[in-house]
Amino acid sequence: LPAAAEGFGLGRTALPQELAAWDIDIRPDGLGLPEGSGDVQTGEALFSERCAVCHGDFGEGVDRWPVLAGGQGTLADRDPVKTVGSYWPYLSTLWDYVHRAMPFTEAHSLNVNDTYAIVAYILYSNDIVDDDFTLTRENFATVEMPNADGFFVDDRDQVEVPAFSAAPCMHDCKTDVHITRRATVLDVTPETETDTETGDETASAEAPAAPPEPTG
Amino acid sequence: MTDKSASPPSPEPSFHPDPATGPAPAGAQTGPSRRRVLGALAAGAAGAATGAATGTASGASAAGTPDPLITENQPWSTTLGEGVDVTPYGLPIHFESDVVRRNVPWLTAETISSINFTPIHALEGTITPQGCAFERHHAGAIELSKADYRLMINGLVDRPLIFTFEDLLRFPRETRVLFMECAANSGMEWAGAQLNGCQFTQGMIHNMEYTGVPLRLLLAEAGVQPAGKWVLVEGADASGMSRSLPLEKALDDCLVAFQANGEALRKEHGYPVRLCVPGWEGNMWVKWLRRIEVGDQPWEHREETSKYTDTMADGRSRKWTWVMDAKSVITAPSPQMPIAHGPGPLVITGLAWSGRGKITRVDVSKDGGRSWETARLSGPAHDKALQRFYLDTVWDGSEMLLQSRAIDETGYVQPTKDALRAIRGENSIYHMNGIQTWFVAADGRVENVEVSS
C-alpha cells in the first residue's frame, strides 16, 4: 500500500505532540511502556483512595463491581472467578487498561508512576509479588502472570464448523421431545414500565447476579 | 380477567413436561406475555364499552350486529389531524410505546457500562430503527461534535495522519447493510432458559444500512509499511475502547461509517464516526473512533483478554473469536408476542443472520426439532446482514415447541445449544448461537424453554 502517490492528498501529518497525547497503548512485549516506577506500599495507598470504593481494599470487589484478585485455580469450576491473578494473561494489559480507563468516571487521571504503583499493588493482592516489590519499566517483563498459557486462538473452523456443516435432518429427527428447562421458573425478566401490578423493581433487585442454576 | 373466550380450545398436550420441572403452575405465568394477553383483553373490554367488537379477528360481530367503527362516524374522519409543521422530526405513534429498548438491571453493576436490548419481537423486515437499536457502552454514550472530531492514523505507516470529519466526507464512499451483534447476545442462556422474550435473549443486535469510507482507503492514504500486520482501533470515550484487528480484515471490508439508515449515526451508536467490522463481534465495531494504529503484533488489550475471550470446560479459553456464527430466532410467536387470535392462519416469522456470509435457508420446527419445514425467505439477501423469514401455517390450537435453524452459504447449520455445550461447556459467556425453543401453550401464551436433544 503506497502512500500519497496514489492517495487523495487528504488529511495532514500528525505532530509529535499529538501522537504522544493519544498513542498511549502498551503491548505485551512492552512496546509503549513509559519510564517510571511504583511500589506496592505506594500502590496500596493510591488503591485505597482511588479504587477501593468499587473494587474493595484488597481487590475483592464491592457489590457487583469487578473482582480484581483471587480466584486462582477456579477456571474449570462451575462458577469460575476470573480476575487479574486467575485469568489475565499479560501484565501489559493491566497497565494499559488502568492508565487508559480507570478510575471509572476519572479516566486519564493517573500519572505514569501512579499507574506503576497501583499495578504493583494489584499484583501483590493476587500473591504474584511480595509486599516490598517495586515495578519498573525495566523489570516489567520478569513478572509471570499465572494464566499466561491459558489462551488459544479461535479453533472453531477446525472443531465446530465441520461438525455443524452436515446436511440437517428434516423428519423423524428425535424419538423423545420433552421440556428440560423453563425461563418462567426463574422469573427474572423485567416487567414493562406500564405494568404496575407486580412490583417489578423489587423482583429485579433480588434477581441472581450470575446465571442461576439450570432447572432441568 | 376471567374472560377466556378468545382462547383456543385446549387439546391433549402433545409434549410431556419434564417431571423435574413440571408444568407451569396455574397463575405462575409471568413476564411480558401475560401482560400482552391481559392488555388484549383490556382492549377488548374497552371496545365493548363503546360498542366496538375489537376482540374478534375480522372486526365484525359474529351475531350480525353492524360494527359501529364502520356504521358510526369516527372523530378521525370528521375532524382535522395535525399540520405538517407540528413534528419536524417524528417519533412513533404513542400506541407503539412498548416498542422500545429495555434494560435488565441485574445484568450489570450500573447503567453506564451496560447493555440494553432491541425490541426485535415487535419489529418486521430487517432494518432496525435507530431509535430503538440496542446500546452497549463501557463509559456511557458521549457527545462528540463533528467540529471536535479528529481521527489519527499512526504506527507502522509512511506518514502519520490527522483527519477532520470534513476530510472523511471527501473520500469515496460505500453503502452496505450489516448486522451488528454483541458477542454476549444470548450469553445469559448458556446455563439454561433464563429470560422470557426474544428481546432479552436475542436482542443485542441491530441491522442498519451504513454509509462510510472503506478503512483500506484511509490506511492507503497513510501508507502501511510492509511490517504492518495488525491495526489497533480505539474510541474517544473514557473507556478508551481498543481492539486489535488483523490487517487483512482491515483492508478487506471494514467501513469507517458516519451514516446509518440514511442519517447521521445516533449519539449512542458512535456519532459522528464508528467502525463497521462486517460479520464480526460487536465489541470490535469501535464507536467514536479516534485512532487507528498499525503494528506488527496484536495489542492484547483488556477487551480481547479479560473480556471477549471464551472459557472452555477445561478452563482454557479461546481468544480472537471474531466471527459471529449463523443464528436465528422466531420473533413471533414469542414470549412477548403470544398468539391472541386463536386457531387458524398463523404467521410464524423471525430473523436469521451469519457472520460468514448470506443466509441461504431457514428451517422451522413446531415439534421441538423432531421434524422441520423450510421457511420462506423474504427481502433481499445481503451478505452478513439480517434476513427475514416466514412460515405461513395453520394453527390447530395444539401446544407447539417452535424452533428455527439457520443455514448460511458456507453450509454451516445453526447448532442446538446442547451441541455447543458439548464442545464448550457452559462458561464461555460469548458466542451463544444455539437454536431457541419457544413453548406455545394451548391458550397462546409462549415461554422460553429448552427441550431434550
mmCIF file of all heavy atoms in Angstrom, chain A residues 156, chain B residues 176 179 181 249 253 277-281 322-327 352-359 383-385 408-410 412 433:
data_model
loop_
_atom_site.group_PDB
_atom_site.id
_atom_site.type_symbol
_atom_site.label_atom_id
_atom_site.label_comp_id
_atom_site.label_asym_id
_atom_site.label_seq_id
_atom_site.Cartn_x
_atom_site.Cartn_y
_atom_site.Cartn_z
ATOM 1 N N ARG A 156 -12.676 -22.634 16.017
ATOM 2 C CA ARG A 156 -13.990 -23.100 15.564
ATOM 3 C C ARG A 156 -13.944 -23.694 14.162
ATOM 4 O O ARG A 156 -14.688 -24.631 13.855
ATOM 5 C CB ARG A 156 -15.001 -21.942 15.604
ATOM 6 C CG ARG A 156 -15.507 -21.618 17.001
ATOM 7 C CD ARG A 156 -16.434 -20.418 16.983
ATOM 8 N NE ARG A 156 -15.723 -19.194 16.648
ATOM 9 C CZ ARG A 156 -16.318 -18.023 16.422
ATOM 10 N NH1 ARG A 156 -17.635 -17.933 16.460
ATOM 11 N NH2 ARG A 156 -15.602 -16.951 16.142
ATOM 12 N N ARG B 176 -23.513 -0.185 2.796
ATOM 13 C CA ARG B 176 -23.751 -1.623 2.999
ATOM 14 C C ARG B 176 -24.727 -1.846 4.138
ATOM 15 O O ARG B 176 -24.686 -1.134 5.141
ATOM 16 C CB ARG B 176 -22.443 -2.335 3.389
ATOM 17 C CG ARG B 176 -21.475 -2.541 2.256
ATOM 18 C CD ARG B 176 -20.394 -3.525 2.669
ATOM 19 N NE ARG B 176 -20.927 -4.862 2.875
ATOM 20 C CZ ARG B 176 -20.174 -5.900 3.266
ATOM 21 N NH1 ARG B 176 -18.888 -5.734 3.507
ATOM 22 N NH2 ARG B 176 -20.717 -7.089 3.417
ATOM 23 N N PHE B 179 -25.472 -6.539 9.879
ATOM 24 C CA PHE B 179 -25.888 -6.747 11.269
ATOM 25 C C PHE B 179 -24.712 -6.485 12.193
ATOM 26 O O PHE B 179 -23.559 -6.681 11.827
ATOM 27 C CB PHE B 179 -26.451 -8.162 11.491
ATOM 28 C CG PHE B 179 -25.418 -9.256 11.649
ATOM 29 C CD1 PHE B 179 -24.759 -9.458 12.859
ATOM 30 C CD2 PHE B 179 -25.107 -10.105 10.590
ATOM 31 C CE1 PHE B 179 -23.814 -10.470 13.011
ATOM 32 C CE2 PHE B 179 -24.165 -11.117 10.730
ATOM 33 C CZ PHE B 179 -23.509 -11.298 11.947
ATOM 34 N N GLU B 181 -23.968 -7.617 16.036
ATOM 35 C CA GLU B 181 -24.431 -8.422 17.157
ATOM 36 C C GLU B 181 -23.391 -8.424 18.263
ATOM 37 O O GLU B 181 -22.207 -8.703 18.014
ATOM 38 C CB GLU B 181 -24.700 -9.873 16.710
ATOM 39 C CG GLU B 181 -25.251 -10.749 17.844
ATOM 40 C CD GLU B 181 -25.420 -12.212 17.460
ATOM 41 O OE1 GLU B 181 -24.809 -12.650 16.464
ATOM 42 O OE2 GLU B 181 -26.160 -12.919 18.172
ATOM 43 N N LYS B 249 -8.341 -8.135 7.553
ATOM 44 C CA LYS B 249 -9.739 -7.730 7.720
ATOM 45 C C LYS B 249 -9.872 -6.216 7.518
ATOM 46 O O LYS B 249 -10.829 -5.756 6.889
ATOM 47 C CB LYS B 249 -10.234 -8.133 9.110
ATOM 48 C CG LYS B 249 -11.695 -7.785 9.390
ATOM 49 C CD LYS B 249 -12.660 -8.602 8.535
ATOM 50 C CE LYS B 249 -14.112 -8.375 8.951
ATOM 51 N NZ LYS B 249 -15.065 -9.123 8.090
ATOM 52 N N ASP B 253 -13.032 -5.451 4.260
ATOM 53 C CA ASP B 253 -14.385 -4.902 4.155
ATOM 54 C C ASP B 253 -14.787 -3.985 5.299
ATOM 55 O O ASP B 253 -15.970 -3.688 5.456
ATOM 56 C CB ASP B 253 -15.400 -6.051 4.032
ATOM 57 C CG ASP B 253 -15.363 -7.007 5.202
ATOM 58 O OD1 ASP B 253 -14.528 -6.820 6.105
ATOM 59 O OD2 ASP B 253 -16.171 -7.952 5.226
ATOM 60 N N VAL B 277 -17.326 -3.631 11.257
ATOM 61 C CA VAL B 277 -16.485 -4.808 11.003
ATOM 62 C C VAL B 277 -17.422 -5.942 10.607
ATOM 63 O O VAL B 277 -17.849 -6.729 11.454
ATOM 64 C CB VAL B 277 -15.654 -5.167 12.258
ATOM 65 C CG1 VAL B 277 -14.609 -6.240 11.924
ATOM 66 C CG2 VAL B 277 -14.981 -3.926 12.840
ATOM 67 N N PRO B 278 -17.775 -6.046 9.328
ATOM 68 C CA PRO B 278 -18.857 -6.937 8.894
ATOM 69 C C PRO B 278 -18.700 -8.380 9.368
ATOM 70 O O PRO B 278 -17.643 -9.004 9.163
ATOM 71 C CB PRO B 278 -18.784 -6.849 7.364
ATOM 72 C CG PRO B 278 -18.229 -5.482 7.109
ATOM 73 C CD PRO B 278 -17.221 -5.266 8.213
ATOM 74 N N GLY B 279 -19.751 -8.897 9.991
ATOM 75 C CA GLY B 279 -19.781 -10.291 10.416
ATOM 76 C C GLY B 279 -19.087 -10.583 11.722
ATOM 77 O O GLY B 279 -19.194 -11.690 12.238
ATOM 78 N N TRP B 280 -18.367 -9.586 12.260
ATOM 79 C CA TRP B 280 -17.566 -9.833 13.469
ATOM 80 C C TRP B 280 -18.238 -9.260 14.698
ATOM 81 O O TRP B 280 -19.102 -8.399 14.611
ATOM 82 C CB TRP B 280 -16.149 -9.260 13.295
ATOM 83 C CG TRP B 280 -15.314 -10.077 12.338
ATOM 84 C CD1 TRP B 280 -15.772 -10.944 11.391
ATOM 85 C CD2 TRP B 280 -13.890 -10.109 12.250
ATOM 86 N NE1 TRP B 280 -14.712 -11.504 10.717
ATOM 87 C CE2 TRP B 280 -13.554 -11.011 11.217
ATOM 88 C CE3 TRP B 280 -12.866 -9.452 12.934
ATOM 89 C CZ2 TRP B 280 -12.228 -11.279 10.858
ATOM 90 C CZ3 TRP B 280 -11.543 -9.710 12.578
ATOM 91 C CH2 TRP B 280 -11.228 -10.622 11.556
ATOM 92 N N GLU B 281 -17.819 -9.751 15.877
ATOM 93 C CA GLU B 281 -18.486 -9.435 17.130
ATOM 94 C C GLU B 281 -18.543 -7.924 17.371
ATOM 95 O O GLU B 281 -17.609 -7.186 17.060
ATOM 96 C CB GLU B 281 -17.806 -10.149 18.299
ATOM 97 C CG GLU B 281 -16.356 -9.782 18.504
ATOM 98 C CD GLU B 281 -15.678 -10.650 19.564
ATOM 99 O OE1 GLU B 281 -16.251 -11.655 20.024
ATOM 100 O OE2 GLU B 281 -14.535 -10.308 19.945
ATOM 101 N N TRP B 322 -13.607 -13.879 16.564
ATOM 102 C CA TRP B 322 -14.141 -12.660 15.952
ATOM 103 C C TRP B 322 -15.475 -12.867 15.243
ATOM 104 O O TRP B 322 -16.376 -12.045 15.348
ATOM 105 C CB TRP B 322 -13.106 -12.114 14.946
ATOM 106 C CG TRP B 322 -11.787 -11.754 15.562
ATOM 107 C CD1 TRP B 322 -11.583 -11.042 16.709
ATOM 108 C CD2 TRP B 322 -10.482 -12.066 15.052
ATOM 109 N NE1 TRP B 322 -10.229 -10.886 16.934
ATOM 110 C CE2 TRP B 322 -9.539 -11.497 15.946
ATOM 111 C CE3 TRP B 322 -10.018 -12.760 13.924
ATOM 112 C CZ2 TRP B 322 -8.157 -11.615 15.742
ATOM 113 C CZ3 TRP B 322 -8.650 -12.871 13.730
ATOM 114 C CH2 TRP B 322 -7.740 -12.313 14.626
ATOM 115 N N VAL B 323 -15.602 -13.952 14.483
ATOM 116 C CA VAL B 323 -16.785 -14.142 13.632
ATOM 117 C C VAL B 323 -18.010 -14.504 14.473
ATOM 118 O O VAL B 323 -17.900 -15.285 15.427
ATOM 119 C CB VAL B 323 -16.522 -15.252 12.587
ATOM 120 C CG1 VAL B 323 -17.798 -15.582 11.811
ATOM 121 C CG2 VAL B 323 -15.419 -14.838 11.643
ATOM 122 N N MET B 324 -19.156 -13.950 14.105
ATOM 123 C CA MET B 324 -20.432 -14.356 14.692
ATOM 124 C C MET B 324 -21.047 -15.416 13.777
ATOM 125 O O MET B 324 -21.333 -15.156 12.606
ATOM 126 C CB MET B 324 -21.368 -13.155 14.825
ATOM 127 C CG MET B 324 -20.826 -12.014 15.689
ATOM 128 S SD MET B 324 -20.291 -12.483 17.360
ATOM 129 C CE MET B 324 -21.856 -12.897 18.114
ATOM 130 N N ASP B 325 -21.246 -16.617 14.326
ATOM 131 C CA ASP B 325 -21.733 -17.735 13.517
ATOM 132 C C ASP B 325 -23.222 -17.601 13.183
ATOM 133 O O ASP B 325 -23.930 -16.796 13.772
ATOM 134 C CB ASP B 325 -21.505 -19.044 14.268
ATOM 135 C CG ASP B 325 -20.071 -19.517 14.172
ATOM 136 O OD1 ASP B 325 -19.494 -19.461 13.064
ATOM 137 O OD2 ASP B 325 -19.518 -19.949 15.201
ATOM 138 N N ALA B 326 -23.668 -18.457 12.249
ATOM 139 C CA ALA B 326 -25.062 -18.416 11.786
ATOM 140 C C ALA B 326 -26.019 -18.650 12.946
ATOM 141 O O ALA B 326 -25.794 -19.505 13.811
ATOM 142 C CB ALA B 326 -25.281 -19.473 10.709
ATOM 143 N N LYS B 327 -27.094 -17.877 12.946
ATOM 144 C CA LYS B 327 -28.017 -17.866 14.078
ATOM 145 C C LYS B 327 -29.391 -17.421 13.593
ATOM 146 O O LYS B 327 -29.494 -16.747 12.560
ATOM 147 C CB LYS B 327 -27.462 -16.906 15.125
ATOM 148 C CG LYS B 327 -28.213 -16.818 16.447
ATOM 149 C CD LYS B 327 -27.387 -16.011 17.439
ATOM 150 C CE LYS B 327 -28.102 -15.797 18.752
ATOM 151 N NZ LYS B 327 -27.256 -15.067 19.725
ATOM 152 N N ALA B 352 -32.777 -14.337 10.693
ATOM 153 C CA ALA B 352 -31.604 -15.206 10.624
ATOM 154 C C ALA B 352 -30.433 -14.360 10.153
ATOM 155 O O ALA B 352 -30.617 -13.364 9.444
ATOM 156 C CB ALA B 352 -31.852 -16.371 9.664
ATOM 157 N N TRP B 353 -29.226 -14.745 10.558
ATOM 158 C CA TRP B 353 -28.049 -13.982 10.148
ATOM 159 C C TRP B 353 -26.800 -14.843 10.307
ATOM 160 O O TRP B 353 -26.813 -15.836 11.037
ATOM 161 C CB TRP B 353 -27.910 -12.701 10.973
ATOM 162 C CG TRP B 353 -27.758 -12.875 12.458
ATOM 163 C CD1 TRP B 353 -26.593 -12.884 13.165
ATOM 164 C CD2 TRP B 353 -28.815 -13.053 13.432
ATOM 165 N NE1 TRP B 353 -26.857 -13.047 14.519
ATOM 166 C CE2 TRP B 353 -28.192 -13.148 14.701
ATOM 167 C CE3 TRP B 353 -30.205 -13.129 13.360
ATOM 168 C CZ2 TRP B 353 -28.926 -13.320 15.881
ATOM 169 C CZ3 TRP B 353 -30.936 -13.314 14.544
ATOM 170 C CH2 TRP B 353 -30.293 -13.399 15.774
ATOM 171 N N SER B 354 -25.739 -14.477 9.595
ATOM 172 C CA SER B 354 -24.462 -15.193 9.707
ATOM 173 C C SER B 354 -23.312 -14.255 9.423
ATOM 174 O O SER B 354 -23.350 -13.490 8.448
ATOM 175 C CB SER B 354 -24.405 -16.364 8.728
ATOM 176 O OG SER B 354 -23.105 -16.939 8.735
ATOM 177 N N GLY B 355 -22.300 -14.305 10.256
ATOM 178 C CA GLY B 355 -21.089 -13.537 10.016
ATOM 179 C C GLY B 355 -20.211 -14.139 8.942
ATOM 180 O O GLY B 355 -19.187 -13.554 8.567
ATOM 181 N N ARG B 356 -20.615 -15.328 8.454
ATOM 182 C CA ARG B 356 -19.807 -15.994 7.435
ATOM 183 C C ARG B 356 -20.338 -15.751 6.028
ATOM 184 O O ARG B 356 -19.743 -16.233 5.060
ATOM 185 C CB ARG B 356 -19.749 -17.498 7.715
ATOM 186 C CG ARG B 356 -19.071 -17.829 9.046
ATOM 187 C CD ARG B 356 -19.025 -19.330 9.298
ATOM 188 N NE ARG B 356 -18.518 -19.622 10.641
ATOM 189 C CZ ARG B 356 -17.235 -19.772 10.947
ATOM 190 N NH1 ARG B 356 -16.321 -19.699 10.005
ATOM 191 N NH2 ARG B 356 -16.856 -20.018 12.188
ATOM 192 N N GLY B 357 -21.457 -15.054 5.887
ATOM 193 C CA GLY B 357 -21.969 -14.772 4.551
ATOM 194 C C GLY B 357 -23.474 -14.627 4.552
ATOM 195 O O GLY B 357 -24.075 -14.239 5.561
ATOM 196 N N LYS B 358 -24.078 -14.964 3.410
ATOM 197 C CA LYS B 358 -25.524 -14.831 3.278
ATOM 198 C C LYS B 358 -26.241 -16.029 3.898
ATOM 199 O O LYS B 358 -25.721 -17.144 3.904
ATOM 200 C CB LYS B 358 -25.908 -14.740 1.793
ATOM 201 C CG LYS B 358 -25.419 -13.476 1.110
ATOM 202 C CD LYS B 358 -25.781 -13.494 -0.374
ATOM 203 C CE LYS B 358 -25.257 -12.228 -1.048
ATOM 204 N NZ LYS B 358 -25.456 -12.266 -2.520
ATOM 205 N N ILE B 359 -27.449 -15.776 4.359
ATOM 206 C CA ILE B 359 -28.339 -16.853 4.792
ATOM 207 C C ILE B 359 -28.975 -17.457 3.533
ATOM 208 O O ILE B 359 -29.502 -16.735 2.679
ATOM 209 C CB ILE B 359 -29.425 -16.312 5.729
ATOM 210 C CG1 ILE B 359 -28.808 -15.885 7.055
ATOM 211 C CG2 ILE B 359 -30.540 -17.342 5.935
ATOM 212 C CD1 ILE B 359 -28.213 -17.016 7.872
ATOM 213 N N ASP B 383 -25.161 -9.894 2.314
ATOM 214 C CA ASP B 383 -24.033 -10.568 2.957
ATOM 215 C C ASP B 383 -23.866 -10.033 4.382
ATOM 216 O O ASP B 383 -23.815 -8.826 4.591
ATOM 217 C CB ASP B 383 -22.777 -10.264 2.124
ATOM 218 C CG ASP B 383 -21.576 -11.059 2.579
ATOM 219 O OD1 ASP B 383 -21.746 -12.183 3.080
ATOM 220 O OD2 ASP B 383 -20.453 -10.538 2.432
ATOM 221 N N LYS B 384 -23.814 -10.945 5.359
ATOM 222 C CA LYS B 384 -23.562 -10.546 6.754
ATOM 223 C C LYS B 384 -24.601 -9.533 7.243
ATOM 224 O O LYS B 384 -24.271 -8.496 7.838
ATOM 225 C CB LYS B 384 -22.139 -10.002 6.927
ATOM 226 C CG LYS B 384 -21.056 -10.985 6.453
ATOM 227 C CD LYS B 384 -19.662 -10.406 6.549
ATOM 228 C CE LYS B 384 -18.607 -11.397 6.075
ATOM 229 N NZ LYS B 384 -18.693 -11.689 4.625
ATOM 230 N N ALA B 385 -25.861 -9.838 6.961
ATOM 231 C CA ALA B 385 -26.954 -8.941 7.355
ATOM 232 C C ALA B 385 -28.137 -9.783 7.820
ATOM 233 O O ALA B 385 -28.206 -10.989 7.559
ATOM 234 C CB ALA B 385 -27.369 -8.055 6.182
ATOM 235 N N ASP B 408 -26.181 -21.034 6.380
ATOM 236 C CA ASP B 408 -25.582 -19.961 5.579
ATOM 237 C C ASP B 408 -24.919 -20.509 4.324
ATOM 238 O O ASP B 408 -24.900 -21.722 4.080
ATOM 239 C CB ASP B 408 -24.632 -19.096 6.415
ATOM 240 C CG ASP B 408 -23.343 -19.811 6.803
ATOM 241 O OD1 ASP B 408 -22.939 -20.798 6.125
ATOM 242 O OD2 ASP B 408 -22.704 -19.371 7.778
ATOM 243 N N GLU B 409 -24.383 -19.617 3.526
ATOM 244 C CA GLU B 409 -23.874 -20.016 2.206
ATOM 245 C C GLU B 409 -22.621 -20.883 2.275
ATOM 246 O O GLU B 409 -22.221 -21.465 1.273
ATOM 247 C CB GLU B 409 -23.626 -18.787 1.338
ATOM 248 C CG GLU B 409 -22.564 -17.840 1.860
ATOM 249 C CD GLU B 409 -22.424 -16.620 0.947
ATOM 250 O OE1 GLU B 409 -22.744 -16.732 -0.240
ATOM 251 O OE2 GLU B 409 -21.995 -15.570 1.437
ATOM 252 N N THR B 410 -22.007 -20.985 3.454
ATOM 253 C CA THR B 410 -20.867 -21.892 3.591
ATOM 254 C C THR B 410 -21.325 -23.311 3.906
ATOM 255 O O THR B 410 -20.509 -24.232 3.968
ATOM 256 C CB THR B 410 -19.926 -21.437 4.721
ATOM 257 O OG1 THR B 410 -20.561 -21.661 5.995
ATOM 258 C CG2 THR B 410 -19.548 -19.970 4.576
ATOM 259 N N TYR B 412 -22.816 -24.034 6.798
ATOM 260 C CA TYR B 412 -22.890 -24.128 8.265
ATOM 261 C C TYR B 412 -24.358 -24.139 8.688
ATOM 262 O O TYR B 412 -25.149 -23.317 8.239
ATOM 263 C CB TYR B 412 -22.160 -22.928 8.871
ATOM 264 C CG TYR B 412 -22.174 -22.833 10.388
ATOM 265 C CD1 TYR B 412 -21.073 -23.255 11.140
ATOM 266 C CD2 TYR B 412 -23.250 -22.288 11.068
ATOM 267 C CE1 TYR B 412 -21.059 -23.130 12.521
ATOM 268 C CE2 TYR B 412 -23.257 -22.172 12.443
ATOM 269 C CZ TYR B 412 -22.156 -22.595 13.174
ATOM 270 O OH TYR B 412 -22.151 -22.466 14.538
ATOM 271 N N ASN B 433 -24.942 -19.205 19.842
ATOM 272 C CA ASN B 433 -25.804 -19.132 18.658
ATOM 273 C C ASN B 433 -26.699 -20.358 18.550
ATOM 274 O O ASN B 433 -27.161 -20.718 17.482
ATOM 275 C CB ASN B 433 -24.972 -18.958 17.376
ATOM 276 C CG ASN B 433 -24.091 -20.152 17.060
ATOM 277 O OD1 ASN B 433 -23.433 -20.682 17.947
ATOM 278 N ND2 ASN B 433 -24.083 -20.580 15.802
#
